[in-house]
Amino acid sequence: MHRRLLALLGLGFILTALFIVAGQLEDGGKKERLTYALARYPATLDPTAVTDESGAAVLLNLYEGLVRFEPGGTGIEPALARDWNVSPDARTWTFYLQEDISFTDGTPLDAAAVRDAVERQLNPETAGPYASFVYGPVTRIETKGRHTVIFHLKHPYAPFIRNLAMLPAAVVRPSPDHGLPIGTGPFVPSAIESARITLKANPAYREGPPHLKEVLFVVIPDPHERWRALAQGRVDVAENTGAALPATGPDSLVIARTPGLDLSYLAFYTNKKPFDNPAVRRAASLAVNQQAIVDYLFPDRAVPAIGPLPPGTLGHHPTLGADAYNLEEARQLLDQAGYSGEEITLITYQDRRPYNPAGGEKLAHLLVEQLAQAGFKVRVEAYPWEICKHAIHRQEGHAFVFGWVGDNGDPDNFLYTLLASAQIQTGTNAARYSNPHVDMLLGRAQQVTDEALRERLYRQAQELIAADAPWVFLNHRLETAAHHPTVKNLVVQPTGGAYLAQVRKDDQ
């Protein structure tokens, strides 16, 4: 079970064991052990093989990179590197490692170990699925002494620092028995079973031994069962219980929440009638009531979006669309635009998505109802996810429901990737939106490393995007973790999971 292949378990095998585990959990109350209920088993326990967030709760506590996301946000703080600097042309990034750090097998971590880990990801034969994203801008890596690592980039690229905070950028060394990679985190694997994973504390962790001696992750797919296990004291923490939270229950339970790194949105083909007219797009935007959508479809599982960037992200604009819903203004604007009631086809997906746990069809039909109140005539065409993507690529219909899960927590990953003119050809700018001023602002924000300046540039770009209305920003999911009040210092990450090195359990 310690080999990468065995980490990729078949769903049917897992589910067979899950209900046994759900009924046989040991008491979660042992002070030095934390029992943490997951919604699903990690797709992999190798950080370099990560393609989704299913393993974040476990992996965040086994592996670290040069830097990491701050607790509860997407700001950057030191991890294996104590400091770093960037050259004036933003093409040379120098990291200074903390001294006296070791991998969990006792091997010292030095600049050569970091270089070797990165070069394995630069090699196509050993690279993981996210390697080209994380290290795409890198031309070469060099070391200077035992504790200095230098990255040379092809071009200035400010988001690189957040690339290095991603799980696939964790500094690891191969296991001699071809098992899981060896990391530097606060915990180490103790037992990996079909529906539970046990970690034990790393006594040599760089910040000192964790308060907890053991963490037991158990998989309980049903949110109601996760909540029940928590309420009965069989687990200490339960992730993403969402709508399973009862109206009444144990008053002492604590719910930690943070918006996820994603966005659900309604997009218009800006190069096709009737949405080639900005006034028609603006009318549709004014007709959509995001709060009503969240209240009806995603209670306790999402927050309304007021812009394209999730709250807590650099450049998030807190007042961009706070008062966007205005049905009367939508009707007037649509009338002035000359819309004559021609039928609009709205393309959507049938599946549930991380940012839309209700499924695309339910969301699309609710949007149809809201748009109809402003005078739009809309029909829905729904497809399975992969077919839906192809339909959007060939511009079927007039508008589409879609979404995005961020990769590195940087605004560039949302705004440039999805709305820059250059991305029309790649297909990620499926609305075919183009504004040269927006392109200039987004390009500049890629090149400057001053975070305050980047924030100003991104807010200016978002104001222009909101005025052009290529999308209606709908919602962001909520990452949640319910826990007993005896659990202290638990902060949920936007990427899912939590850092557990400083988490402790107090007496009742």
Side-chain angles (χ1 to χ4, degrees):
M1 193 57 132
H2 290 274
R3 297 182 183 274
R4 181 184 303 181
L5 180 62
L6 293 180
L8 302 171
L9 297 175
L11 182 59
F13 172 69
I14 296 172
L15 291 179
T16 302
L18 296 185
F19 296 103
I20 298 173
V21 172
Q24 296 181 347
L25 294 180
E26 300 175 35
D27 182 3
K30 188 176 179 181
K31 185 175 180 179
E32 294 179 331
R33 182 187 66 204
L34 186 80
T35 304
Y36 196 123
L38 302 174
R40 56 180 174 142
Y41 198 91
T44 179
L45 292 177
D46 178 348
T48 66
V50 163
T51 58
D52 62 27
E53 300 173 356
S54 63
V58 181
L59 293 168
L60 284 176
N61 296 290
L62 294 175
Y63 303 102
E64 300 179 302
L66 295 172
V67 296
R68 72 175 194 173
F69 294 120
E70 64 188 8
T74 58
I76 298 299
E77 64 180 26
L80 300 179
R82 59 177 173 80
D83 200 4
W84 61 92
N85 59 49
V86 186
S87 64
D89 67 359
R91 294 179 60 186
T92 304
W93 296 64
T94 304
F95 292 84
Y96 306 97
L97 301 182
Q98 299 195 43
E99 299 182 15
D100 301 322
I101 296 180
S102 296
F103 289 97
T104 55
D105 67 350
T107 304
L109 180 137
D110 57 15
V114 174
R115 180 199 60 211
D116 291 347
V118 173
E119 288 184 342
R120 283 192 295 273
Q121 294 304 299
L122 293 175
N123 181 349
E125 294 185 2
T126 54
Y130 257 95
S132 62
F133 179 91
V134 174
Y135 298 112
V138 176
T139 57
R140 63 187 176 93
I141 179 173
E142 65 172 310
T143 62
K144 186 177 181 180
R146 293 192 65 244
H147 298 103
T148 302
V149 179
I150 305 169
F151 291 89
H152 297 276
L153 307 190
K154 303 171 186 174
H155 48 76
Y157 190 63
F160 182 60
I161 191 65
R162 285 184 172 79
N163 285 11
L164 295 180
M166 296 173 62
L167 277 170
V171 177
V172 300
R173 61 185 302 268
S175 170
D177 63 357
H178 304 289
L180 291 176
I182 300 168
T184 60
F187 294 89
V188 296
S190 175
I192 302 175
E193 304 170 66
S194 61
R196 62 170 66 196
I197 298 167
T198 306
L199 310 183
K200 64 180 181 181
N202 172 12
Y205 182 53
R206 61 182 177 84
E207 294 182 347
H211 296 289
L212 300 165
K213 290 187 176 180
E214 184 177 88
V215 179
L216 171 64
F217 291 97
V218 295
V219 182
I220 307 176
D222 186 287
H224 297 277
E225 289 298 325
R226 287 199 299 280
W227 175 262
R228 186 174 294 110
L230 180 70
Q232 294 174 353
R234 293 183 288 127
V235 302
D236 300 300
V237 182
E239 71 173 9
N240 293 330
T241 50
L245 297 177
T248 59
D251 294 334
S252 60
L253 293 179
V254 178
I255 314 297
R257 298 178 174 88
T258 193
L261 287 180
D262 59 22
L263 173 70
S264 177
Y265 60 91
L266 165 64
F268 312 110
Y269 297 125
T270 60
N271 61 336
K272 289 180 64 175
K273 292 184 180 300
F275 293 117
D276 58 343
N277 184 341
V280 178
R281 300 197 300 267
R282 180 64 180 157
S285 298
L286 291 167
V288 174
N289 186 336
Q290 290 94 332
Q291 185 65 61
I293 290 172
V294 169
D295 290 345
Y296 184 72
L297 292 180
F298 323 118
D300 300 311
R301 292 183 290 177
V303 292
I306 59 174
L309 297 179
T313 305
L314 176 71
H316 172 70
H317 202 313
T319 61
L320 187 67
D323 300 311
Y325 174 62
N326 189 323
L327 191 56
E328 185 56 38
E329 186 177 348
R331 291 167 177 158
Q332 294 175 2
L333 196 56
L334 191 61
D335 183 62
Q336 294 168 9
Y339 172 73
S340 56
E342 58 268 30
E343 186 175 68
I344 292 166
T345 298
L346 176 61
I347 303 301
T348 191
Y349 48 89
Q350 297 171 343
D351 321 55
R352 296 179 180 181
R353 305 298 300 165
Y355 40 77
N356 177 10
E361 287 184 274
K362 287 184 178 180
L363 175 57
H365 285 291
L366 187 53
L367 288 168
V368 168
E369 292 178 13
Q370 293 190 352
L371 292 168
Q373 294 181 51
F376 286 97
K377 182 180 179 182
V378 185
R379 62 179 289 270
V380 173
E381 191 71 48
Y383 298 106
W385 176 247
E386 292 298 327
I387 297 175
C388 179
K389 289 194 292 185
H390 289 298
I392 292 169
H393 182 72
R394 63 176 178 265
Q395 286 201 286
E396 185 175 322
H398 304 88
F400 57 94
V401 175
F402 214 60
W404 179 255
V405 177
D407 298 296
N408 63 357
D410 195 275
D412 177 79
N413 187 234
F414 285 82
L415 299 178
Y416 183 87
T417 300
L418 301 175
L419 290 165
S421 298
Q423 300 299 91
I424 294 175
Q425 291 301 316
T426 68
T428 57
N429 182 353
R432 275 67 167 182
Y433 170 68
S434 181
N435 182 321
H437 193 181
V438 170
D439 293 337
M440 182 272 292
L441 292 168
L442 298 182
R444 177 67 175 147
Q446 280 187 337
Q447 298 174 353
V448 297
T449 57
D450 182 305
E451 295 272 88
L453 176 55
R454 294 189 77 213
E455 182 164 65
R456 291 196 297 272
L457 292 169
Y458 284 125
R459 288 189 175 181
Q460 291 175 33
Q462 288 174 89
E463 289 168 2
L464 294 172
I465 292 166
D468 290 339
W471 293 354
V472 181
F473 319 116
L474 298 178
N475 64 271
H476 314 283
R477 71 175 164 195
L478 273 177
E479 291 286 351
T480 66
H483 61 85
H484 292 279
T486 53
V487 176
K488 305 297 184 182
N489 303 330
L490 185 77
V491 179
V492 179
Q493 291 300 106
T495 54
Y499 300 126
L500 299 179
Q502 299 303 319
V503 170
R504 69 178 194 274
K505 289 173 66 176
D506 287 349
D507 294 329
Q508 296 285 352

